[in-house]
Amino acid sequence: MLKQSNEMPISLQHETSRLKILHQYGILDTPDEADFDELTKLAAQICQTPVALITFVDDKRQWFKSKVGASVTEAPMDSGFCPFVVQNSDELIIPDTLTDKKFAKNPVVVLPPHVRFYAGIPLIAKEGYTLGTICVLDFVPRKLTQLQIQTLQTLSRQIIRLLERKRNESVLLALTQREQKKALQLEQAMKELTRTQIQLIQNEKMSALGQLVAGVAHEINNPLNFIYANLVHANQYAQDLLNLVEVYQNYYPHPVKEIETTLKAIDFDFLQEDLPKLMSSMTIGADRIRQIVLLLRNFSHLEQAEMADADIHEGLDNTLLLLKHRLKGSGRNPGIKVIKEYGDLPVVQCYAGQLNQVFMNILTNAIDALKDVKGHGAMDIEITPNAQCPTIHIRTEAIANEAIIRIADNGPGISLEVQSKLFDPFFTTKPVGSGTGLGLSISYQIIEKHGGQLICTSAPGQGAEFVIKIPKNYEL
């Protein structure tokens, strides 16, 4: 504990408060600074001393923020004179240390550097606590003029102002950092809110799709099963009747005139040939409707709320089948060619319905891009050299623990500016009413949820490729 010159201890509370204020300035153990060095040099020049110091005193040492004529950066508490200035919060001027009973045996007096003169002015913070000193030293006895003392006092006040300015800057910096942190937290909260909003929209869409599929299954399956089951019997009945007519013709090759007229009227020969084909077509049509209902159920995977093993290729094929009507050409719009290069891809643990939603979004965007090329649709975009035949290229492969799906088109491509916003919520380049701007954003989140990546590579005139990377086995 510091002691005053009369050997009475300084109040522990006072010293604790003083050290607290000192540390608030954040000045201890900081690098050299020109602002402080200039004041130290000025003190040495005006007082004409070989040594000048700006010293701060903490609980264990004297630390020199700036120095002229000294090489050390700190000194012990019992060495030197600055601690006494701090203890008394008053100026200390010693013309000749050897004749001063209190300091004649001080280590810096009796040992090198053999200080013979000291003058220290306290650095008093606005709270009233003495933090340190600005002092000058010499190795021969001497005195200071009143003007020199006044100059040291002025320099002391300048140092305090400099400290206050730096403390204010530090506080302002801390406030700025806190505000920046709050702003970042707010931005993150807004992003999370947007993500939640998008997720709610996605859930609502998937729920609506689930209800639609459930309704289709309920409303169509029952009458469809009735028709499909009875088509077998209807086909058999029709065949039996045709056989019966054939037997009659064998036994009565020359029917009465009325029957002959009726046979000609209904074109019996054509009916006899076409009816089995008609029944077969009806059976195929009913079977196709059953497949479509099953396809919708498989596509949405309503019965799978948890992650499960899924066949990626089946999901892609189902999605392409649903989009088949858009891939066909019509009028002046040529059809879109789909090239599939499926690699050896094992089953992948995923949310199959959500993954199919990603395939649907990316393939729909590719179709839109190819339909909008000049000569292929309404928009006036020049055909690129590689877009003479609109093509979607789908490739899959397994690398290490990842399943990789590449979906590329040879459309007009995407600019860098648009690519930077491609996965942003509600961003769309489509006309108003043609898209919500949520498809790719939702797709990005779905792939991210699977622990994977969704990447787009494109350039104007070079088409676009979306690369989906998902772990084969991902634990949430």
Side-chain angles (χ1 to χ4, degrees):
M1 181 182 294
L2 291 177
K3 294 187 178 182
Q4 298 182 16
S5 56
N6 59 6
E7 300 302 320
M8 290 296 292
I10 290 179
S11 163
L12 178 61
Q13 182 179 358
H14 179 278
E15 180 61 10
T16 300
S17 299
R18 186 190 76 83
L19 291 172
K20 181 179 178 181
I21 296 297
L22 173 62
H23 289 295
Q24 282 180 359
Y25 283 96
I27 193 67
L28 295 175
D29 299 310
T30 55
D32 294 345
E33 297 181 60
D35 291 342
F36 289 97
D37 291 342
E38 288 176 359
L39 297 177
T40 311
K41 291 176 183 177
L42 187 59
Q45 290 171 358
I46 292 175
C47 296
Q48 297 181 351
T49 58
V51 180
L53 303 168
I54 295 177
T55 307
F56 293 99
V57 180
D58 65 9
D59 57 333
K60 296 178 181 178
R61 59 173 178 163
Q62 307 172 68
W63 181 75
F64 308 133
K65 170 61 180 175
S66 180
K67 51 190 179 294
V68 171
S71 57
V72 296
T73 56
E74 59 181 57
M77 294 290 286
D78 60 352
S79 175
F81 315 96
C82 293
F84 293 93
V85 177
V86 173
Q87 292 164 21
N88 295 304
S89 296
D90 198 6
E91 299 173 359
L92 177 61
I93 300 176
I94 309 171
D96 187 350
T97 57
L98 288 179
T99 61
D100 190 304
K101 294 181 181 179
K102 191 183 301 182
F103 299 105
K105 294 183 180 180
N106 192 283
V108 299
V109 175
V110 297
L111 298 173
H114 300 292
V115 175
R116 293 291 299 276
F117 167 79
Y118 174 85
I121 308 296
L123 302 175
I124 302 176
K126 64 178 184 179
E127 292 85 357
Y129 296 101
T130 302
L131 308 179
T133 69
I134 178 171
C135 63
V136 291
L137 298 87
D138 205 340
F139 307 116
V140 295
R142 59 172 305 155
K143 293 182 179 180
L144 294 180
T145 66
Q146 190 61 35
L147 179 61
Q148 289 172 325
I149 295 174
Q150 290 175 351
T151 301
L152 287 177
Q153 292 169 344
T154 300
L155 293 175
S156 170
R157 291 191 292 271
Q158 287 293 104
I159 293 169
I160 290 298
R161 290 192 189 99
L162 189 57
L163 284 174
E164 286 295 333
R165 189 187 77 191
K166 289 187 171 296
R167 180 164 70 168
N168 291 339
E169 289 175 353
S170 178
V171 170
L172 182 60
L173 178 61
L175 287 173
T176 302
Q177 290 174 339
R178 281 201 295 270
E179 290 302 318
Q180 289 176 341
K181 185 177 180 181
K182 287 181 180 178
L184 183 60
Q185 290 173 342
L186 180 60
E187 183 181 356
Q188 292 295 334
M190 288 300 296
K191 286 183 178 179
E192 189 62 33
L193 180 61
T194 303
R195 288 167 64 92
T196 303
Q197 183 183 24
I198 293 172
Q199 190 63 46
L200 288 173
I201 293 172
Q202 179 200 359
N203 292 342
E204 189 65 27
K205 288 174 67 177
M206 295 304 292
S207 176
L209 178 61
Q211 293 173 8
L212 174 64
V213 171
V216 168
H218 178 73
E219 296 297 333
I220 295 181
N221 267 353
N222 287 337
L224 177 63
N225 286 336
F226 174 79
I227 294 171
Y228 189 79
N230 283 290
L231 275 173
V232 177
H233 301 295
N235 187 47
Q236 185 61 50
Y237 296 160
Q239 191 62 47
D240 289 344
L241 289 172
L242 290 173
N243 291 337
L244 177 61
V245 172
E246 187 177 352
V247 171
Y248 265 95
Q249 286 178 329
N250 288 335
Y251 283 96
Y252 300 98
H254 304 291
V256 298
K257 187 175 181 180
E258 186 177 353
I259 294 176
E260 189 173 353
T261 301
T262 303
L263 289 174
K264 289 180 180 180
I266 65 174
D267 195 357
F268 179 75
D269 291 338
F270 173 78
L271 186 149
Q272 190 178 26
E273 179 183 353
D274 194 57
L275 184 57
K277 295 179 181 179
L278 179 63
M279 296 302 296
S280 176
S281 296
M282 292 171 64
T283 304
I284 292 172
D287 187 59
R288 176 73 180 118
I289 294 172
R290 290 181 64 190
Q291 289 177 8
I292 290 174
V293 173
L294 180 61
L295 173 63
L296 285 172
R297 293 185 62 85
N298 290 339
F299 176 78
S300 59
H301 285 262
L302 297 176
E303 72 284 358
Q304 295 181 8
E306 301 297 330
M307 293 188 82
D309 289 343
D311 186 338
I312 296 295
H313 295 156
E314 182 182 355
L316 286 166
D317 289 339
N318 288 343
T319 307
L320 288 170
L321 194 56
L322 287 173
L323 294 171
K324 188 175 181 180
H325 67 288
R326 296 202 60 199
L327 296 170
K328 292 180 179 179
S330 60
R332 58 193 292 264
N333 294 333
I336 297 174
K337 182 179 180 181
V338 177
I339 300 174
K340 295 188 292 186
E341 292 183 18
Y342 290 169
D344 186 12
L345 207 60
V347 293
V348 175
Q349 191 176 47
C350 63
Y351 294 98
Q354 294 183 14
L355 204 56
N356 288 340
Q357 181 78 6
V358 175
F359 299 154
M360 176 66 78
N361 288 333
I362 294 176
L363 286 167
T364 299
N365 284 346
I367 293 170
D368 289 341
L370 292 171
K371 292 285 187 181
D372 287 340
V373 175
K374 184 177 181 181
H376 301 163
M379 292 184 65
D380 190 21
I381 302 175
E382 291 295 333
I383 301 174
T384 56
N386 63 340
Q388 297 300 324
C389 177
T391 304
I392 293 176
H393 199 153
I394 305 174
R395 290 176 293 163
T396 63
E397 59 181 332
I399 298 179
N401 192 41
E402 283 187 327
I404 300 176
I405 305 102
R406 303 176 188 273
I407 302 175
D409 65 71
N410 59 348
I414 306 171
S415 68
L416 288 175
E417 182 182 0
V418 172
Q419 285 185 58
S420 66
K421 304 174 184 177
L422 206 55
F423 301 114
D424 291 351
F426 307 108
F427 173 78
T428 179
T429 58
K430 297 177 181 178
V432 176
S434 298
T436 62
L438 288 174
L440 287 179
S441 177
I442 290 173
S443 299
Y444 188 88
Q445 290 186 44
I446 290 173
I447 299 303
E448 192 177 55
K449 179 181 178 180
H450 284 79
Q453 290 179 287
L454 176 57
I455 305 166
C456 173
T457 56
S458 180
Q462 300 298 318
E465 181 181 60
F466 285 85
V467 181
I468 302 167
K469 298 181 180 180
I470 54 174
K472 297 177 189 174
N473 295 287
Y474 177 65
E475 295 294 336
L476 286 176

